[in-house]
Amino acid sequence: MKTNKTTDTKAMLEHCGIKLTRQRLDLLDQLVKGSGPTTAEQLFLSLREEASAISLSTVYRILDAFELKGLVEKVVSTDENKAVYELNRHEHGHHLICTSCKSRMTITGCPLAGYEEALAKSTNYKITGHRLEVYGLCPKCQSELEMPPVEITPDRTEGKVGTP
């Protein structure tokens, strides 16, 4: 039996004990089909494009409720002081962030597992988790920043008398 995304999102909300409303379903659908972290403003604009009657403050309230129930993860970017939200897929992941356009992508694999163990041993902390953000320029911004080579041509006025 094949299920559709609305059935899946309903099940997700019910599993978390969140009351079903059209706005919550629409917002969760946006998060499910998203490819990575996104801001509340981006979610709001996407919902408005799909003719969903929702306000920005409602988007924030729903995201707060989703976070409290563990349905989304909220990360506050230190360089922009802006929160981004991502569906909690219960997978360990980190983020690659473009310093120019601020696009984010989730990356898999973790180089810190061994370091966590060593750190726990040396500090007697019980390490419960970590977050890693790696910054750089995405391929699109790299190509936009590349300047075309300057073509050097001989001065055509050289040696001519009376040219302006």
Side-chain angles (χ1 to χ4, degrees):
M1 180 178 140
K2 187 178 177 185
T3 60
N4 64 30
K5 68 180 179 181
T6 303
T7 304
D8 294 341
T9 53
K10 281 182 182 177
M12 291 169 79
L13 291 175
E14 288 170 350
H15 176 74
C16 291
I18 299 173
K19 183 180 173 184
L20 298 178
T21 66
R22 172 56 36 207
Q23 293 172 327
R24 289 176 182 157
L25 287 168
D26 290 347
L27 183 56
L28 188 54
D29 279 340
Q30 287 294 317
L31 289 164
V32 167
K33 67 182 177 184
S35 60
T38 186
T39 65
E41 292 84 4
Q42 290 167 325
L43 288 166
F44 168 71
L45 292 173
S46 296
L47 289 166
R48 295 298 290 221
E49 284 177 9
E50 294 182 5
S52 180
I54 194 166
S55 68
L56 182 57
S57 62
T58 300
V59 169
Y60 275 108
R61 281 194 301 275
I62 292 171
L63 288 170
D64 286 343
F66 285 1
E67 182 189 13
L68 284 172
K69 295 291 188 169
L71 197 54
V72 298
E73 293 180 328
K74 176 182 176 179
V75 177
V76 178
S77 177
T78 54
D79 64 327
E80 294 180 60
N81 198 24
K82 185 178 257 187
V84 292
Y85 301 85
E86 185 172 27
L87 186 65
N88 185 353
R89 301 180 194 277
H90 303 285
E91 299 169 351
H92 186 74
H94 301 293
H95 297 108
L96 188 56
I97 303 164
C98 179
T99 55
S100 181
C101 70
K102 309 301 181 206
S103 67
R104 300 170 142 290
M105 80 182 263
T106 301
I107 52 177
T108 56
C110 180
L112 299 178
Y115 180 67
E116 268 188 355
E117 291 173 21
L119 189 60
K121 238 181 215 178
S122 68
T123 62
N124 289 323
Y125 266 72
K126 180 181 179 186
I127 307 295
T128 58
H130 65 266
R131 292 200 172 144
L132 177 65
E133 292 182 340
V134 180
Y135 298 90
L137 285 173
C138 70
K140 181 181 175 207
C141 289
Q142 288 177 56
S143 66
E144 289 174 358
L145 290 175
E146 288 178 3
M147 302 291 274
V150 177
E151 190 176 315
I152 301 174
T153 57
D155 186 359
R156 297 173 193 241
T157 61
E158 190 174 80
K160 294 185 180 174
V161 178
T163 57

